[in-house]
Amino acid sequence: MDLFLGEKIAVLESETQKTCRSCGERLKLVRTMVNSRTGAIVHMFECRCGERTWDD
């Protein structure tokens, strides 16, 4: 069984130029994750209205 630690390795700016599809407000970066199999990086964003989205 493989166990992985959730270590913080970098600090990224939380403000982005992305806007919410629901209300049009600017999104805030809340998580950055790495797929350990592929190395792909996924960014999760959240709006003040509660809408969440991600990109990779």
Side-chain angles (χ1 to χ4, degrees), residues 16-37:
T16 67
Q17 298 300 321
K18 294 183 176 289
T19 56
C20 179
R21 288 183 271 170
S22 296
C23 69
E25 290 289 321
R26 197 176 270 180
L27 296 173
K28 181 178 178 182
L29 178 65
V30 291
R31 297 265 189 284
T32 300
M33 300 164 280
V34 178
N35 182 328
S36 62
R37 287 188 210 144

Side-chain angles (χ1 to χ4, degrees), residues 32-48:
T32 300
M33 300 164 280
V34 178
N35 182 328
S36 62
R37 287 188 210 144
T38 64
I41 298 173
V42 178
H43 302 285
M44 180 186 281
F45 302 93
E46 185 175 55
C47 182
R48 288 191 294 175

Side-chain angles (χ1 to χ4, degrees), residues 5-24:
L5 298 174
E7 295 182 39
K8 187 174 189 177
I9 58 170
V11 176
L12 299 173
E13 292 294 323
S14 63
E15 294 298 321
T16 67
Q17 298 300 321
K18 294 183 176 289
T19 56
C20 179
R21 288 183 271 170
S22 296
C23 69

